[in-house]
Amino acid sequence: MTFAAFLQHLAFALCLAGLSATAVRAMIAFPILDHPNARSAHTRPTPRGGGVGVVLAFIAGMLVLYLAADFARLAERQFLGVIAAAIAIAGVALVDDMRTLSARLRFACQVAAALVAIGSGLTLSRIAIPYVGYAELGVLGPVLTLLWILGCTNAVNFMDGLDGLVGGTLFIACAALAAIAAVSGGWFVYAAALFLAAGFAGFLPFNLHPARIFMGDVGSQFAGFMLAVLAVAAARFDATQVSFLIVPLLLFGLLWDAAFTLARRAAMGDRVGAPHRTHLYQMAQRSGLPVRAVAATHWGFALFQAGLAAWFLTPPGTLKPLVVLPALALQLAWTLCVALLVRRAGLSWRG
């Protein structure tokens, strides 16, 4: 990529950020109100659905890419079905923001969208095992791909409960992914990540504490699905597919909190599907950490993980998965810190 092309892409991304901000302003002016309840971090009715700005910026970027771009053009038609599936998820999620849909219907839509991605050929076929080598997944490949897409989509959605936390984290992750994809020559991943980053750049100023608008399911489910798909697409950066780990590494803070909370609730005998406010970020805020501090902590995680993802390009293939260990150590330290805060505040991990 030439420097002139980079400047053109940056200018286009700024235009998409402006489109996103305009859409977010419209959603504030004509709000879908989120009324606070016992599980809410906010105390007054606040508009939601700000993720519409992210979705529209992404769609506009893809339309220009497909119809008019001279560089990084969308040449692989298999991605058209994936983009359509992501837009369908966003549409269903927007309806859910306006009037609550059943969990089964939402999940069925996610499964259908994931199957479209898998049917388009986006599946994992091998994994790297440190100090051992590579193992072919065979028939397990599509199954693991399905579980990954569903898990990432819902993890991002579950974590969107505090002003600026997910929006800022995803902006950093998408910007880092765009840079890594450009270096690796993965042009669809580069373009998609750039458009997502632009969408979040337009949305984030309105979502900082105290938030004027929330992302809503329309933004969190759409972004979670697209990043899950981009992880599988990024596996093509090398023949061994170990580069699949780039996106999970960039999102490690969000994925850890969601997975840890799910496992902890299951171990305590709680209904894992029941509404609650016991994610690590929620417990940290309830223990006395300011909302801005909790959000900034996760932004710090995202920056650290972006550095690890850049370093990921350096080690030999089978050793690349070990780059996840520093991110894991950081999350274990954060978990211990939150546990100490919860104990000092006398809070319960239930409810």
Side-chain angles (χ1 to χ4, degrees), residues 59-80:
I59 293 173
M62 283 297 168
L63 283 174
V64 172
L65 188 68
Y66 184 70
L67 297 174
D70 294 323
F71 187 79
R73 189 165 186 173
L74 181 56
E76 298 180 75
R77 292 185 177 272
Q78 70 177 128
F79 291 121
L80 295 178

Side-chain angles (χ1 to χ4, degrees), residues 90-140:
V92 172
L94 180 59
V95 174
D96 185 49
D97 283 333
M98 293 186 291
R99 59 185 72 179
T100 304
L101 301 176
S102 71
R104 289 183 179 180
L105 177 58
R106 298 196 305 269
F107 186 71
C109 292
Q110 292 174 7
V111 171
L115 291 176
V116 168
I118 293 170
S120 299
L122 289 174
T123 59
L124 299 171
S125 61
R126 58 172 58 184
I127 58 172
I129 303 174
Y131 304 110
V132 175
Y134 302 99
E136 299 295 331
L137 293 174
V139 294
L140 287 177

Side-chain angles (χ1 to χ4, degrees), residues 159 162 165 252-254 256-257 260 279-285 289-290 293-298 301 327-342 349:
M159 290 294 292
L162 208 64
L165 190 153
F252 198 84
L254 302 182
W256 169 263
D257 194 325
F260 173 81
H279 280 283
L280 288 171
Y281 76 90
Q282 292 171 320
M283 298 302 289
Q285 187 265 331
L289 280 185
V294 178
T297 297
H298 272 270
F301 293 159
L328 176 60
L330 180 60
Q331 290 307 310
L332 289 173
W334 168 244
T335 303
L336 177 60
C337 177
V338 173
L340 293 174
L341 289 173
V342 168
W349 286 95

